[in-house]
Amino acid sequence: MNRNFKNKIKDKFTLSNILFTMVLIIVIVMQAPVWLNNFQNIGMNLNDIKIRSLSKSEQLIPLDANKVIVFWFSNCAPCKLEMKRLKASVDDKKINKDNLIFINIFESKTKIKKFLKRNPYPFTFGSSPSLVKRLGITATPTMVFLENGDIRYMSSGMSLIGIFLAELFL
């Protein structure tokens, strides 16, 4: 092999390693506050929080059993993927649909209802600005695992094992 060719490959490999490392550092620095926030919220009790259903009756959603709350946004591709995966778990009877609560943190009720009309999901959709504020939710999707109102686990972003954990938890 030509020595010049070997040096070019070596230089490109080194450059790609440097770029990969820089991207990894940026992701970690940007995600660190979200991870820390999620960790700090574990153990918090949410029984005093009110979550209103987006249905016509706008009834309160009780947090008296194991629940998974998913914070989402209609333009969030990872949120849509998580919704499809959770729907598949509901369809396969691995998860009870009544144990899933979806809260959209950025959009109006009108926009949410339009999205749900085009994308009918069997989940409970709710609203709770006080919960979003209390938990410091800034990233979607964020999954909060509740046991009788106590936060047992929180994760933000796409998760390879999130659905598996939800199925085990619920």
Side-chain angles (χ1 to χ4, degrees), residues 35-144:
W35 295 331
L36 179 62
N37 179 60
N38 291 351
F39 180 73
Q40 289 173 335
N41 286 331
I42 292 175
M44 182 186 297
N45 183 282
L46 301 178
N47 282 328
D48 62 325
I49 291 289
K50 306 288 187 249
I51 301 175
R52 294 219 174 267
S53 169
L54 289 181
S55 66
K56 290 180 184 174
S57 64
E58 292 195 7
Q59 72 233 24
L60 290 177
I61 301 167
L63 301 177
D64 56 353
N66 285 7
K67 305 274 186 186
V68 173
I69 299 175
V70 181
F71 294 92
W72 67 286
F73 177 56
S74 68
N75 290 329
C76 166
C79 297
K80 291 176 187 177
L81 181 59
E82 291 289 20
M83 291 171 111
K84 288 178 184 176
R85 291 169 48 186
L86 285 165
K87 182 181 182 307
S89 288
V90 168
D91 292 344
D92 292 342
K93 306 221 184 306
K94 294 178 181 177
I95 295 177
N96 181 337
K97 68 179 178 72
D98 296 329
N99 292 351
L100 296 169
I101 304 169
F102 281 75
I103 297 176
N104 186 306
I105 66 172
F106 297 116
E107 298 170 311
S108 70
K109 287 182 184 179
T110 305
K111 187 167 184 179
I112 295 167
K113 287 181 179 183
K114 283 181 184 176
F115 173 83
L116 295 176
K117 203 171 226 182
R118 292 187 314 267
N119 305 282
Y121 286 102
F123 320 126
T124 300
F125 287 86
S127 174
S128 181
S130 60
L131 179 59
V132 173
K133 184 176 180 179
R134 186 165 181 187
L135 296 180
I137 303 294
T138 58
T140 59
T142 292
M143 295 177 81
V144 179

